[in-house]
């Protein structure tokens, strides 16, 4: 082939540190817009970013030129630095070190968008911990629960 082409949808999830302050409702829209700009600057395409006060869900098209780990590292590093500039409330803000990244087929793209868009309502009945373990089991990801919740 003379051209490299890809269309890889990725659902990325990560949580704030247990010692961190929550993300305020009034700051979410700006935070998500900033994260979207970081995704764009990494040659990837943000589709939807949303979440409750303690974690974020991102659906994006992953560039063929970047690894998921590098993209997540850039999103977390830049957004953490950025949010601390808003005001003193966020001086101790930090993301946890880990993340979840799950492939999304074109056939469930729309359903994933709806799921991410409905995060506030969804987390009235399910904790992040339960949600994350459900994803790991659904995608057959082996894990040791002792290490899932450490900062």
């Amino acid at each position: 082939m003379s051209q490299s082409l890809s269309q890889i949808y990725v659902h990325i999830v990560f949580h704030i540190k247990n010692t961190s302050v929550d993300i305020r409702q009034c700051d979410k829209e700006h935070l998500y817009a900033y994260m979207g700009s970081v995704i764009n600057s990494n040659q990837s395409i943000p589709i939807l970013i949303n979440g409750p006060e303690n974690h974020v869900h991102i659906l994006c098209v992953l560039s063929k030129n970047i690894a998921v780990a590098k993209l997540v590292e850039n999103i977390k590093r830049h957004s953490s630095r950025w949010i601390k500039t808003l005001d003193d409330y966020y001086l101790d803000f930090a993301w946890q070190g880990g993340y979840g990244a799950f492939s999304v087929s074109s056939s469930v793209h729309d359903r994933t968008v709806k799921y991410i868009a409905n995060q506030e309502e969804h987390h009235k009945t399910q904790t992040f911990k339960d949600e994350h373990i459900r994803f790991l089991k659904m995608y057959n990801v082996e894990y040791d629960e002792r290490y899932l919740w450490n900062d």
Side-chain angles (χ1 to χ4, degrees):
M1 280 189 147
S2 61
Q3 191 176 26
S4 299
L5 304 170
S6 71
Q7 180 78 350
I8 303 169
Y9 293 108
V10 181
H11 181 179
I12 301 167
V13 184
F14 50 87
H15 197 279
I16 62 173
K17 278 192 172 188
N18 292 326
T19 57
S20 179
V21 296
D22 286 343
I23 302 164
R24 295 183 297 205
Q25 187 69 35
C26 62
D27 298 322
K28 287 181 182 182
E29 184 178 338
H30 297 293
L31 173 63
Y32 301 158
Y34 185 81
M35 290 174 145
S37 71
V38 173
I39 294 167
N40 276 322
S41 70
N42 283 270
Q43 302 175 321
S44 297
I45 303 168
I47 297 170
L48 183 60
I49 303 170
N50 196 20
E53 68 281 348
N54 63 5
H55 71 279
V56 173
H57 290 258
I58 299 169
L59 180 62
C60 66
V61 178
L62 182 67
S63 167
K64 66 184 184 304
N65 298 316
I66 191 167
V68 172
K70 190 61 164 176
L71 178 63
V72 174
E73 175 188 333
N74 288 336
I75 296 167
K76 289 165 78 173
R77 182 179 65 234
H78 291 291
S79 65
S80 180
R81 287 180 186 166
W82 177 84
I83 202 166
K84 289 176 183 181
T85 68
L86 293 181
D87 62 51
D88 289 347
Y89 172 81
Y90 288 112
L91 287 179
D92 295 324
F93 182 85
W95 297 112
Q96 285 185 324
Y99 65 91
F102 308 97
S103 60
V104 176
S105 70
S106 296
S107 64
V108 295
H109 172 276
D110 292 346
R111 189 168 59 192
T112 305
V113 167
K114 287 178 187 173
Y115 178 80
I116 292 173
N118 195 35
Q119 281 297 294
E120 294 287 337
E121 193 64 30
H122 171 74
H123 282 289
K124 289 180 180 177
T125 60
Q126 186 174 45
T127 66
F128 171 75
K129 193 174 188 177
D130 291 340
E131 175 188 55
H132 194 60
I133 288 174
R134 184 172 55 81
F135 273 115
L136 295 173
K137 288 179 179 178
M138 183 173 33
Y139 281 89
N140 296 314
V141 176
E142 290 185 29
Y143 64 95
D144 185 335
E145 194 163 347
R146 294 176 298 174
Y147 303 110
L148 283 180
W149 316 117
N150 295 336
D151 284 339

